[in-house]
Amino acid sequence: MSNIVSQNSTGPNPDYIKNLFNSISASYDRTNTFITMGLHQSWRKKLIELSDAQPGDKVLDCATGTGDFAIAFKQILGPKSLVIGSDFCEGMLDQAKIKSNQLKLDVQFEQADVLNLQYEDNSFDVVSIGYGIRNVADTKKGIQEMVRVLKPGGRLLILETGSNQSSLLKPFISVYFKLVVPMIGALSSGNKKAYQYLNQSSLKFPCGLEFIDLMNSTDQFSHLGFKKLLGGASFIYKGIKR
Ligand SMILES: C[S@@+](CC[C@H](N)C(=O)[O-])C[C@H]1O[C@@H](n2cnc3c(N)ncnc32)[C@H](O)[C@@H]1O
């Protein structure tokens, strides 16, 4: 596997990330469901609700992975909406395509790097990214690129893990993430290292107001807000483009 740290920025090395997700793509959905005890599906619904997406809207789900957000947007918004799911990892996109074909949904899955999206400025009503931004080599540049393709008034929604849980849940969540998650990951995917990385990267990544400050530093938003999930185990961030 490639070096974990990118040579050009503070975030993870893109080649390391691509290899990691290619190696766990087939078991990704199952492991996710075990790790979050199925809660991730209700968090996804919450994010879609907060996006204020309407039938007919154009939606881009970045770092779509196995496509759960893109599929859920399409199911909720219906055939009039254009929904694109993009990711730079082919193995994850293959799983996404299989799922949307099985559901007979017309979702476009395309290869794209969050840091260099092939879409025109001001073209989407909603851009989302779920558990993806902390894996992008340059977080601020990733946010700027996603905002670039949003229309003025468009909404950027980010679902990400958190590390500043409320005091009551903190001991439980920290043991759960440090010990239980890598163990479940190892059993479900056969790749304990991948889930150790995913856990360590969560602990280091800014969350809550710290992440809002980062979004704000792009000077692109007229409104910013966030919602804590399960006492801070995950967060949904929302920014409206000026
Ligand atoms: C933890 S998975 C999340 C998948 C999905 N969004 C979900 O909610 O389950 C992270 C995804 O981010 C993708 N990713 C990481 N960095 C990326 C980048 N720079 N451009 C595109 N995709 C990226 C990975 O390939 C992987 O599929």
Side-chain angles (χ1 to χ4, degrees):
M1 271 208 165
S2 340
N3 197 346
I4 196 163
V5 180
S6 169
Q7 304 300 308
N8 312 317
S9 64
T10 51
N13 181 329
D15 289 334
Y16 174 84
I17 293 295
K18 268 186 219 169
N19 287 336
L20 184 151
F21 283 103
N22 263 324
S23 73
I24 60 172
S25 57
S27 56
Y28 177 83
D29 285 347
R30 181 180 61 221
T31 314
N32 226 1
T33 299
F34 287 147
I35 287 174
T36 67
M37 295 177 265
L39 281 172
H40 71 108
Q41 294 299 3
S42 67
W43 296 345
R44 290 178 198 285
K45 277 196 197 125
K46 188 79 216 161
L47 181 146
I48 292 176
E49 201 182 300
L50 288 170
S51 76
D52 294 323
Q54 305 296 324
D57 276 359
K58 285 177 76 180
V59 177
L60 173 67
D61 182 42
C62 291
T64 195
T66 56
D68 276 2
F69 267 122
I71 287 171
F73 268 114
K74 188 70 185 178
Q75 282 172 324
I76 290 171
L77 298 179
K80 281 190 192 154
S81 292
L82 171 74
V83 178
I84 300 177
S86 70
D87 201 286
F88 70 4
C89 173
E90 270 180 71
M92 295 292 269
L93 284 174
D94 288 346
Q95 298 296 323
K97 287 175 196 165
I98 292 171
K99 280 195 315 201
S100 74
N101 285 342
Q102 278 168 349
L103 292 164
K104 300 196 178 3
L105 287 171
D106 180 22
V107 180
Q108 278 176 234
F109 285 106
E110 298 173 355
Q111 203 157 13
D113 189 329
V114 173
L115 294 173
N116 187 18
L117 296 168
Q118 62 266 46
Y119 312 107
E120 299 206 344
D121 295 358
N122 309 320
S123 40
F124 294 94
D125 300 282
V126 173
V127 174
S128 60
I129 183 164
Y131 300 120
I133 193 68
R134 80 173 191 281
N135 296 303
V136 173
D138 185 332
T139 314
K140 185 168 172 182
K141 198 170 165 212
I143 294 171
Q144 284 166 326
E145 183 62 355
M146 290 188 285
V147 177
R148 178 184 68 74
V149 302
L150 264 183
K151 296 176 183 170
R155 286 85 63 201
L156 173 64
L157 276 297
I158 300 176
L159 174 65
E160 197 43 87
T161 50
S163 55
N164 72 344
Q165 298 89 13
S166 59
S167 50
L168 207 64
L169 287 171
K170 198 172 180 120
F172 169 74
I173 293 178
S174 105
V175 169
Y176 187 75
F177 275 95
K178 268 191 200 130
L179 300 176
V180 184
V181 167
M183 208 170 68
I184 297 175
L187 289 173
S188 172
S189 72
N191 189 340
K192 189 173 179 182
K193 272 200 174 153
Y195 284 89
Q196 277 169 334
Y197 158 76
L198 291 172
N199 171 47
Q200 283 155 9
S201 63
S202 300
L203 295 174
K204 280 191 254 157
F205 199 69
C207 65
L209 285 174
E210 208 186 326
F211 191 75
I212 290 286
D213 281 348
L214 182 64
M215 291 178 81
N216 202 23
S217 70
T218 63
D219 206 19
Q220 298 279 329
F221 298 101
S222 62
H223 164 93
L224 281 167
F226 72 91
K227 184 170 177 56
K228 251 184 189 187
L229 304 165
L230 196 67
S234 282
F235 285 77
I236 295 173
Y237 304 93
K238 176 176 178 176
I240 302 181
K241 182 173 175 178
R242 260 191 238 289

